[in-house]
Amino acid sequence: MKNNTINNLLLTLTFLLPSCITEEVPDNTPQGNFEALWKIIDTKYCFLDYKNKEYGLDWNEIHRRYQNRLTDDMTNKQLFQVLAEMLNELRDGHVNLMTYHETSQYREWYDQYPTNFVDTIQRIYLGKDYKTIGGIKYQILEDNIGYIYYGSFSNAIGESNLDEVLNELSICDGLILDIRNNGGGSVSNINALGSRFTNESKVLTGYDLHKTGKGHNDFGDTIAVYLTAPSSKVIQAENQETENTENLNGQKVRFTKDVVLLTNRSVFSAANDFVRIMKVLDNVTVIGDHSGGGGAVPVSFNLPNGWSVRLSTTPSLDINFEHTEMGIEPDIKIDMAPDAEMTGRDAILDKAIEHGKEKRKPYRGAKAIDPHCRNHGNCPWCQRKVKYKDKKRRMNREID
């Protein structure tokens, strides 16, 4: 009796196990790979409900429409084309289908908009004596406005490099931070750079969400994200040091005067997060075009045929709990002129320089004569001060 019971149990398990395996691993066929991809997006992708509200994305309708394009005898290239076009319905630059020979990309987040950046024009403003350090180009422009260009957050920027750049630009009345065409990179770099523009030790910059289930809106509680500024030497609007001024050893230089951040549609991913962070700071104004978006952390999953799909899983929200996935509006919207390459003028950069001049305080002392003066004795004001001090010293010696 006992043996019969065991045999019946084993027989039952024999029938059950194959069906369980079939449900977990789709067939390596066009239909099987299609279903696997559609289900991964349906259960893992974090923006389905948000994009349904933004532009009417219906993921179930997408399933019906693209399933009709499948055939049993289609080639891998044909299957790739169908699946890639289906993923492009998500309008997400973080979503890619990757094979051994090809990777799909959604490019319309920047392709259908003005570029708003021309490197040959930038070189006119930079001149020939600009400096580079740690992936950063920097220069002092006309009217004593500092300029930093950072083209990729993938380029490491050491703390000592930032100290050197900001210390040199501390004589400037304001700073232009240009991240146009920055496609993202390391989150650690955006925090290292962003923390240099605030006096606050801790600044709330937004929130993260994490999926907790297969439903389109299955998210856990929001997680607050902070920008943490180091204890540092602070460069104030009058170029005065207010804390830890006795020496810079082990310290971090911060720039708390007026800062203009330049953006365009090619600002994406970590660079888009940097815009979100900087918009919170009171001394920062964003000028240029809407950023490109990419407000989530991407993760990869595999299909039965060995292809992989990368998709957004963890959305980022701003301090008002709004998504940044579709990009961030600038404070001042402006495009470069269509004839910019002929005139050699960058309207976005010109606007930033004008803004910096409007924001700065009236010059006093040496700077009223020479804005670049660092009190080294070269300008007329300094020279008069030196002569006055010499005269006072001579008079004091005569009295003694």
Side-chain angles (χ1 to χ4, degrees), residues 323-336:
H323 283 281
T324 60
E325 162 66 6
M326 307 296 280
I328 300 169
E329 288 284 352
D331 297 310
I332 301 175
K333 172 71 169 69
I334 185 171
D335 293 319
M336 291 180 66

Side-chain angles (χ1 to χ4, degrees), residues 241-271:
E241 302 160 12
T242 59
E243 58 179 84
N244 296 332
T245 59
E246 61 277 4
N247 77 68
L248 276 175
N249 295 330
Q251 313 264 339
K252 307 293 187 298
V253 179
R254 287 184 278 167
F255 192 101
T256 59
K257 306 175 195 175
D258 186 62
V259 177
V260 174
L261 181 67
L262 304 188
T263 61
N264 65 357
R265 289 279 177 169
S266 294
V267 170
F268 186 72
S269 192

Side-chain angles (χ1 to χ4, degrees), residues 17-79:
L17 287 175
S19 63
C20 295
I21 295 172
T22 303
E23 289 179 4
E24 292 297 325
V25 183
D27 294 333
N28 183 13
T29 62
Q31 181 67 37
N33 284 289
F34 169 82
E35 293 292 349
L37 178 60
W38 184 89
K39 186 174 181 180
I40 288 172
I41 299 297
D42 187 59
T43 57
K44 306 292 186 182
Y45 187 65
C46 62
F47 292 124
L48 289 176
D49 186 67
Y50 165 68
K51 293 188 175 181
N52 174 263
K53 295 173 183 175
E54 284 292 306
Y55 61 89
L57 175 69
D58 184 339
W59 195 236
N60 289 320
E61 186 276 329
I62 295 294
H63 183 280
R64 292 190 294 270
R65 179 154 38 103
Y66 282 88
Q67 187 181 39
N68 291 335
R69 296 174 56 181
L70 300 176
T71 61
D72 291 336
D73 59 349
M74 68 193 312
T75 64
N76 280 339
K77 190 171 184 64
Q78 291 170 330
L79 177 62

Side-chain angles (χ1 to χ4, degrees), residues 30-238:
Q31 181 67 37
N33 284 289
F34 169 82
E35 293 292 349
L37 178 60
W38 184 89
K39 186 174 181 180
I40 288 172
I41 299 297
D42 187 59
T43 57
K44 306 292 186 182
Y45 187 65
C46 62
F47 292 124
L48 289 176
D49 186 67
Y50 165 68
K51 293 188 175 181
N52 174 263
K53 295 173 183 175
E54 284 292 306
Y55 61 89
L57 175 69
D58 184 339
W59 195 236
N60 289 320
E61 186 276 329
I62 295 294
H63 183 280
R64 292 190 294 270
R65 179 154 38 103
Y66 282 88
Q67 187 181 39
N68 291 335
R69 296 174 56 181
L70 300 176
T71 61
D72 291 336
D73 59 349
M74 68 193 312
T75 64
N76 280 339
K77 190 171 184 64
Q78 291 170 330
L79 177 62
F80 178 87
Q81 185 68 28
V82 171
L83 298 185
E85 289 181 16
M86 181 176 76
L87 291 179
N88 282 348
E89 299 281 357
L90 300 173
R91 303 183 187 181
D92 189 335
H94 271 146
V95 174
N96 310 103
L97 180 63
M98 293 166 282
T99 74
Y100 304 109
H101 55 83
E102 195 170 3
T103 298
S104 72
Q105 288 184 319
Y106 177 76
R107 299 185 180 92
E108 290 188 23
W109 54 271
Y110 66 90
D111 262 354
Q112 59 181 342
Y113 300 99
T115 57
N116 281 322
F117 182 79
V118 181
D119 58 354
T120 54
I121 297 177
Q122 182 199 45
R123 289 201 291 270
I124 296 173
Y125 287 79
L126 282 171
K128 294 183 178 180
D129 59 343
Y130 70 90
K131 298 181 180 180
T132 61
I133 187 171
I136 286 175
K137 299 176 183 178
Y138 65 102
Q139 176 66 287
I140 298 178
L141 305 179
E142 60 184 69
D143 295 299
N144 201 38
I145 304 296
Y147 176 82
I148 292 175
Y149 180 74
Y150 189 29
S152 174
F153 281 104
S154 295
N155 297 326
I157 44 173
E159 298 289 357
S160 60
N161 290 341
L162 287 174
D163 284 340
E164 182 175 338
V165 172
L166 294 178
N167 196 44
E168 188 166 343
L169 297 180
S170 66
I171 64 170
C172 298
D173 299 306
L175 178 67
I176 296 169
L177 179 54
D178 192 347
I179 61 166
R180 288 177 293 176
N181 282 20
N182 189 318
S186 170
V187 173
S188 62
N189 286 334
I190 72 173
N191 291 327
L193 184 58
S195 66
R196 297 307 187 99
F197 303 108
T198 177
N199 286 340
E200 303 297 326
S201 59
K202 189 176 182 181
V203 180
L204 176 67
T205 61
Y207 302 90
D208 283 343
L209 285 172
H210 294 274
K211 288 211 72 177
T212 56
K214 296 181 179 181
H216 295 180
N217 278 314
D218 287 348
F219 294 102
D221 295 335
T222 55
I223 301 172
V225 179
Y226 294 93
L227 179 67
T228 304
S231 174
S232 62
K233 175 182 177 182
V234 182
I235 306 302
Q236 298 287 7
E238 290 80 30

